[in-house]
Amino acid sequence: MKNMTLENIAKACNGTYVGGEAERSVEIKGAVTDSRQVEEGYLFIPIKGARVDGHDFIPQVITQGAAAVLSEKELSDCPKPYILVKSSQQALKDMAEFYRAQLTIPIVGITGSVGKTSTKEMIASVLSRKFKVLKTAGNFNNEIGLPLTLLRIREEHEAAVVEMGISDFGEMHRLAKMAKPDICVMTNIGICHLENLKTRDGILKAKSEIFDFLEPDAHIVLNGADDKLSTIGTVKGVAPVFYAIEGENQKETVDITASDIQNLGLKGMNAEIRTSQGSLKVHIPIPGRHNIYNAMAATGVGLALGLTLDEIKAGIESVETIGGRTNLLDVNGMVVIDDCYNANPVSMRASIDVLKNGLGRTIAVLGDMGELGEKEKQLHYEVGQYVAESKIDMLFCAGTLSEEMAKGAQKAGGCQVFYFKTRDEMLQELLGNLKEGDTVLVKASHFMDYPKVVEAIKNQKN
């Protein structure tokens, strides 16, 4: 890692270097917080968690070949150099900011209430037609995940696509200070993280901190169908590029539009995307209308970085789903839509829209959504209403808040509803009702651990 010597790292994070003089100039080969990922020549950054203190693994990582470690306490008889710091977590952020300042590749920062990861995948797929791209792994988008992502950038990379997720004011400012994105993409302003941000205007204000370190030659790409994002004007001399499906734009004119949409059900969609540089007819291989928006966002980023329309088209058409994100599984003659990574009211509706296109009986297996604030019961009720109004055949739901979801579906009518207090109670009834030809959506917030539902369906005997 260029210029990432132990001496420079110590200076960057206001730490004290402890070790031999010869090792001061050693450049680390990587930096991790997980002891299992330590390789020869790596720097280990111990983080104190609620249950585990990374400092306990310092002896282990040294035997694994770590070049050095950070530490919040003095180490006696340490056979390798270490850097004494007040806070390992702050030191990680300081290191990432120092490293980022030396990079010359374009960095695309993505934020929004919903769709960050799927948009990241689409943008990375498009940019990979021209560049060697590094992208956020999984959802490493917070104040630990983002700096670790930045520290994964190597000389061979020509562009990076990073997620930036927040739940409170000030967080995005700190993320932007590290990443300093050259292209800022905002997908939407929804209704998650209301506990701290209170309103959608609060969410807009917090996420707009992504612009705090914007340079004059930067680019901004925004969803012009979002009523909040559409109010953003020129920022520090940078005029945003807006995208929207034709007829859904909140601004009088937008820069990138999609039209002639052909829904192919679970096989995806066809659409024509129009830009100032021409039009492209594309097949989007992932179901869900929201993926048309992802494709337009990727088009805006691709044009900003000089890709041709043919390159953008090829990138969109080769995008793949990732585990737990609208992943389609063929299980015992059923189609299972594994979208159980996380959930909020907007993403729930998007997933239900995908389920509507299923063949055979359509079955929604849903669970509680977290971090919705004082309106959490009402928001669950409305999701239940949407399930019934979408003419989904059956709803299975579990969790304390999902009782409101069941009530909403029952009130709207037309949907067979099963409610249970716990996921395991629900599973027993669910497995007895499934049959060949069904299309089944599985979705809930992460704490509900719904991957176990998917595994149970997969392991069910015919």
Side-chain angles (χ1 to χ4, degrees):
M1 298 176 69
K2 186 178 179 182
N3 291 329
M4 294 296 281
T5 64
L6 297 183
E7 183 171 27
N8 285 344
I9 292 170
K11 290 178 180 177
C13 59
N14 295 311
T16 302
Y17 172 80
V18 181
E21 286 302 308
E23 287 88 353
R24 282 182 180 272
S25 59
V26 170
E27 282 189 347
I28 62 169
K29 296 179 180 178
V32 294
T33 58
D34 188 335
S35 61
R36 296 166 296 183
Q37 297 174 349
V38 171
E39 299 179 22
E40 190 79 28
Y42 271 45
L43 174 71
F44 176 60
I45 305 166
I47 302 292
K48 287 183 179 179
R51 292 178 296 178
V52 178
D53 185 349
H55 290 78
D56 295 339
F57 297 94
I58 287 177
Q60 174 187 321
V61 301
I62 288 175
T63 64
Q64 292 171 221
V69 300
L70 295 187
S71 178
E72 295 178 359
K73 52 191 175 184
E74 293 185 5
L75 303 176
S76 59
D77 300 322
C78 186
K80 291 289 183 73
Y82 71 95
I83 298 171
L84 184 64
V85 296
K86 289 184 178 179
S87 164
S88 294
Q89 192 165 331
Q90 182 59 49
L92 170 62
K93 291 186 277 190
D94 292 338
M95 283 174 54
E97 182 180 350
F98 170 75
Y99 186 56
R100 165 60 179 112
Q102 303 170 67
L103 301 175
T104 58
I105 66 171
I107 291 183
V108 182
I110 303 169
T111 192
S113 298
V114 179
K116 290 184 293 295
T117 299
S118 57
T119 303
K120 172 202 70 183
E121 293 297 321
M122 189 76 78
I123 291 173
S125 182
V126 166
L127 295 187
S128 67
R129 293 290 140 176
K130 183 175 182 178
F131 304 110
K132 174 73 173 176
V133 179
L134 179 129
K135 63 184 179 182
T136 297
N139 69 321
F140 267 45
N141 60 20
N142 60 15
E143 290 188 64
I144 293 178
L146 176 68
L148 287 173
T149 298
L150 295 172
L151 291 170
R152 287 175 50 225
I153 298 173
R154 297 293 182 268
E155 286 188 12
E156 68 265 22
H157 293 125
E158 299 169 314
V161 185
V162 300
E163 284 185 51
M164 303 169 72
I166 63 164
S167 59
D168 207 346
F169 294 106
E171 283 184 71
M172 184 61 74
H173 176 86
R174 295 189 291 273
L175 295 179
K177 187 171 185 283
M178 287 184 277
K180 294 184 174 63
D182 302 286
I183 301 177
C184 299
V185 179
M186 297 179 73
T187 61
N188 47 56
I189 301 299
I191 45 178
C192 25
H193 303 305
L194 291 178
E195 284 182 319
N196 296 322
L197 302 178
K198 303 303 181 185
T199 66
R200 290 182 67 224
D201 286 327
I203 295 170
L204 175 65
K205 180 180 178 181
K207 291 189 181 295
S208 294
E209 293 171 4
I210 195 173
F211 305 136
D212 286 357
F213 298 89
L214 206 65
E215 296 291 341
D217 58 350
H219 301 270
I220 300 172
V221 180
L222 303 176
N223 180 352
D226 186 281
D227 60 326
K228 298 299 182 183
L229 293 180
S230 62
T231 64
I232 295 177
T234 299
V235 182
K236 297 183 178 180
V238 180
V241 168
F242 289 94
Y243 59 89
I245 291 175
E246 195 170 72
E248 295 183 3
N249 47 300
Q250 294 290 318
K251 297 181 72 70
E252 188 173 339
T253 60
V254 292
D255 306 278
I256 299 171
T257 60
S259 61
D260 300 327
I261 296 166
Q262 181 184 9
N263 191 333
L264 304 177
L266 298 179
K267 293 182 179 179
M269 293 153 293
N270 293 332
E272 182 172 357
I273 297 177
R274 298 190 178 97
T275 78
S276 61
Q277 298 184 31
S279 300
L280 57 155
K281 293 184 177 181
V282 297
H283 170 64
I284 302 168
I286 308 174
R289 190 177 179 87
H290 57 286
N291 282 304
I292 299 175
Y293 278 88
N294 296 345
M296 287 189 287
T299 299
V301 173
L303 291 175
L305 291 180
L307 273 71
T308 67
L309 292 178
D310 286 342
E311 288 171 330
I312 293 170
K313 173 182 169 70
I316 293 171
E317 294 185 342
S318 61
V319 70
E320 298 178 354
T321 60
I322 58 177
R325 301 294 179 96
T326 320
N327 191 23
L328 303 181
L329 307 174
D330 187 355
V331 180
N332 298 328
M334 298 178 289
V335 174
V336 177
I337 305 170
D338 174 7
D339 198 9
C340 56
Y341 166 75
N342 220 334
N344 58 57
V346 176
S347 66
M348 277 286 198
R349 284 174 169 78
S351 296
I352 292 163
D353 288 343
V354 173
L355 177 62
K356 286 193 297 188
N357 297 308
L359 302 175
R361 294 189 307 171
T362 52
I363 302 173
V365 185
L366 309 179
D368 286 1
M369 302 174 287
E371 298 185 341
L372 295 181
E374 59 187 22
K375 294 183 179 180
E376 59 184 6
K377 289 187 176 181
Q378 178 63 25
L379 293 170
H380 279 78
Y381 186 91
E382 290 171 0
V383 166
Q385 283 183 311
Y386 193 76
V387 170
E389 291 166 359
S390 300
K391 302 191 184 308
I392 302 303
D393 295 309
M394 304 172 77
L395 168 64
F396 285 81
C397 55
T400 305
L401 292 168
S402 289
E403 184 173 7
E404 296 300 317
M405 193 185 297
K407 290 177 182 178
Q410 289 166 338
K411 180 69 174 178
C415 176
Q416 195 172 359
V417 180
F418 299 84
Y419 167 71
F420 302 88
K421 289 186 177 180
T422 70
R423 181 201 63 219
D424 291 342
E425 288 176 316
M426 177 190 72
L427 260 179
Q428 295 180 15
E429 187 73 23
L430 171 67
L431 296 177
N433 273 275
L434 298 179
K435 63 183 182 181
E436 188 174 340
D438 289 345
T439 301
V440 185
L441 166 67
V442 183
K443 188 169 181 67
S445 277
H446 189 64
F447 67 86
M448 292 295 292
D449 201 11
Y450 265 38
K452 289 184 178 178
V453 176
V454 175
E455 286 303 308
I457 296 172
K458 288 164 66 176
N459 294 330
Q460 186 183 24
K461 294 182 180 179
N462 290 323

